[in-house]
């Protein structure tokens, strides 16, 4: 029996015991965790894996996060923004491929004001009433979130990045504040969005204590979605020479989050797929139940470079690889289940 198999109720594991697990787990412990995570996922979602059409609408960003290749100080970043027609064409393509969630993701680009975004969201809502619209456009005001919700958006992804105040300061310039980020997450939830948060694994300065802060935060906030991927350096950022985060630790955390939040929508992230060849498949085997293939137009796919070596794969061969794991492609919107 592995150490982990001796623990009955992982979901209520005290922080100190989570720490021991994070610091001392063996490969056998990891496998035992993943098996439990898969059972829990099965109970919540059966064998369905949900696909989300990821549409990267703008590579402009007014922020200057030290880890991100799209930071405003990176003069080498290639900037673009998609037009409404281009975005609708991406949705059309995704819908034809069976996808029923569109994720509009972008840097914090002031050009995409409420008027332009509500027009786009409204058009998508009208044309595909059976689909979910997820936004991932960073920090905005409460009124803006409310207007976008009224226009038809259902879900919002805004990673908290780190739940520890001093770690947040190490990753961001002083004009960005953890408290502002958390306020956004609370506003989004109050307005009625299904909310996603998340963090990078192995970001510079991250300690086990900080990861425990992240897990405590997730247990308290109980987001519907959680995005977790390894930190991967980008050559034109202040963190260019920092080591990448561990994909194995990322998988372990995915398994833990599945156990802590049984009903969460948990993507095997692009960063995980970028850091190991079969990362997305291994993410599913660790308890993830969402994959977000890239549906951005071909001419911009290389330009949304938040880190080096980003995987830009779309739908090619994806369904076959999921089915080869004994899983199936979820039909319908794939909303979070409340457990
Ligand atoms: N490595 C991994 N993930 C990153 N992100 C941003 N930069 C990097 C990087 N260098 C993640 C952040 C952000 C999301 C858009 O991508 O968590 O919220």
């Amino acid at each position: 029996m592995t150490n982990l198999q001796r623990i009955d109720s992982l979901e209520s594991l005290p922080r100190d015991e989570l720490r021991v697990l994070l610091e001392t787990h063996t490969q056998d412990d990891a496998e035992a965790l993943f098996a439990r995570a898969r059972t829990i996922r099965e109970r919540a979602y059966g064998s369905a894996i949900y696909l989300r059409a990821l549409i990267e609408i703008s590579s402009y960003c007014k922020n200057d996060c030290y880890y991100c290749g799209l930071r405003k100080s990176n003069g080498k970043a290639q900037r673009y923004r998609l037009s409404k027609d281009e975005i609708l064409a991406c949705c059309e393509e995704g819908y034809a491929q069976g996808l029923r969630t569109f994720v509009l993701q972008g840097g914090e680009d002031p050009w995409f004001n409420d008027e332009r975004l509500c027009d786009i969201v409204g058009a998508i809502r009208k044309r595909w009433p059976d689909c979910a619209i997820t936004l991932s456009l960073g920090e905005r005001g409460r009124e803006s979130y409310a207007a976008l919700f009224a226009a038809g958006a259902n879900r919002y992804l805004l990673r908290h990045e780190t739940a520890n105040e001093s770690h947040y300061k190490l990753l961001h310039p002083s004009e960005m504040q953890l408290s502002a980020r958390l306020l956004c997450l609370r506003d989004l939830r109050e307005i009625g969005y299904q909310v996603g948060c998340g963090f990078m694994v192995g970001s510079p300065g991250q300690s086990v204590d900080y990861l425990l802060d992240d897990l405590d935060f997730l247990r308290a906030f109980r987001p519907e979605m959680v995005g977790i991927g390894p930190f991967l350096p980008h050559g034109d950022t202040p963190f260019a020479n920092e080591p990448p985060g561990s994909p194995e630790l990322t998988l372990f955390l995915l398994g833990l989050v599945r156990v802590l939040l049984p009903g969460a929508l948990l993507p095997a992230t692009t960063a995980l797929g970028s850091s190991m060849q079969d990362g997305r498949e291994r993410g599913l085997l660790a308890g993830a139940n969402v994959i977000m293939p890239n549906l951005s137009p071909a001419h911009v796919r290389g330009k949304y470079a938040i880190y080096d070596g980003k995987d830009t794969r779309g739908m090619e061969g994806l369904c076959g690889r999921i089915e080869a794991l004994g899983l199936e492609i979820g039909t319908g919107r794939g909303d979070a289940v409340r457990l």
Side-chain angles (χ1 to χ4, degrees):
M1 197 149 86
T2 66
N3 287 334
L4 194 127
Q5 280 168 326
R6 271 186 274 274
I7 302 171
D8 291 330
S9 53
L10 273 171
E11 48 298 339
S12 51
L13 210 59
R15 180 177 168 113
D16 278 345
E17 292 180 37
L18 271 179
R19 179 199 311 279
V20 173
L21 262 190
L22 280 176
E23 283 174 340
T24 67
H25 68 270
T26 62
Q27 189 55 37
D28 284 348
D29 288 323
E31 294 303 333
L33 173 65
F34 300 158
R36 271 161 85 159
R38 289 193 298 270
T39 304
I40 291 167
R41 177 187 63 197
E42 171 86 28
R43 232 180 276 146
Y45 289 97
S47 48
I49 301 302
Y50 287 95
L51 304 184
R52 317 303 199 193
L54 180 61
I55 307 169
E56 294 156 336
I57 68 170
S58 175
S59 68
Y60 286 88
C61 191
K62 66 176 165 66
N63 286 337
D64 222 11
C65 309
Y66 303 138
Y67 46 83
C68 182
L70 299 183
R71 64 199 304 269
K72 71 168 176 209
S73 299
N74 180 11
K76 294 193 194 156
Q78 302 183 65
R79 309 290 179 176
Y80 72 89
R81 52 176 76 91
L82 299 182
S83 67
K84 177 182 177 184
D85 285 349
E86 285 176 305
I87 294 169
L88 291 173
C90 294
C91 296
E92 175 104 64
E93 163 89 21
Y95 194 89
Q97 304 223 41
L99 306 184
R100 294 295 178 267
T101 294
F102 307 124
V103 183
L104 274 46
Q105 186 162 86
E108 290 192 17
D109 177 0
W111 190 88
F112 277 110
N113 57 20
D114 292 349
E115 189 186 343
R116 291 191 174 109
L117 274 176
C118 285
D119 177 51
I120 294 166
V121 169
I124 298 173
R125 171 55 56 235
K126 187 161 170 223
R127 185 133 153 227
W128 293 285
D130 55 330
C131 291
I133 301 172
T134 303
L135 302 178
S136 178
L137 301 166
E139 295 183 16
R140 306 176 72 90
R142 188 184 171 109
E143 305 69 38
S144 171
Y145 290 146
L148 291 163
F149 188 79
N154 315 95
R155 308 184 186 138
Y156 205 101
L157 306 176
L158 181 67
R159 291 191 179 176
H160 65 284
E161 312 297 358
T162 170
N164 181 280
E165 194 86 59
S166 40
H167 191 215
Y168 197 91
K169 286 203 175 77
L170 203 125
L171 300 177
H172 303 94
S174 58
E175 59 273 18
M176 293 181 71
Q177 303 264 328
L178 178 58
S179 56
R181 182 71 48 128
L182 298 181
L183 180 64
C184 288
L185 288 167
R186 299 214 155 83
D187 282 343
L188 288 161
R189 167 158 291 166
E190 277 174 26
I191 290 165
Y193 284 93
Q194 294 172 45
V195 178
C197 47
F199 57 93
M200 294 175 281
V201 176
S203 57
Q206 188 176 62
S207 63
V208 171
D209 250 293
Y210 294 170
L211 285 174
L212 292 167
D213 289 345
D214 289 320
L215 295 176
D216 280 342
F217 170 70
L218 293 179
R219 287 205 262 201
F221 187 68
R222 303 193 72 80
E224 281 79 13
M225 304 167 282
V226 186
I228 303 175
F231 161 75
L232 298 170
H234 185 293
D236 302 311
T237 65
F239 291 159
N241 298 318
E242 297 290 335
S246 152
E248 283 78 20
L249 182 56
T250 304
L251 291 167
F252 195 77
L253 283 157
L254 273 177
L256 274 180
V257 170
R258 168 60 63 208
V259 172
L260 299 179
L261 302 176
L265 291 160
L266 205 52
T269 53
T270 305
L272 182 60
S274 305
S275 75
M276 38 166 55
Q277 181 51 242
D278 55 351
R280 292 197 297 192
E281 288 82 351
R282 289 180 62 180
L284 297 181
L285 293 174
N289 65 334
V290 170
I291 289 190
M292 300 167 68
N294 194 319
L295 272 272
S296 304
H299 70 279
V300 305
R301 278 210 206 168
K303 298 185 184 167
Y304 198 81
I306 53 186
Y307 44 80
D308 293 331
K310 182 164 159 271
D311 171 15
T312 59
R313 281 176 297 175
M315 286 291 284
E316 317 82 54
L318 182 59
C319 296
R321 283 200 301 280
I322 293 170
E323 283 157 3
L325 300 174
L327 299 165
E328 51 191 63
I329 311 298
T331 55
R333 296 172 21 143
D335 286 301
V337 303
R338 277 258 155 236
L339 286 176

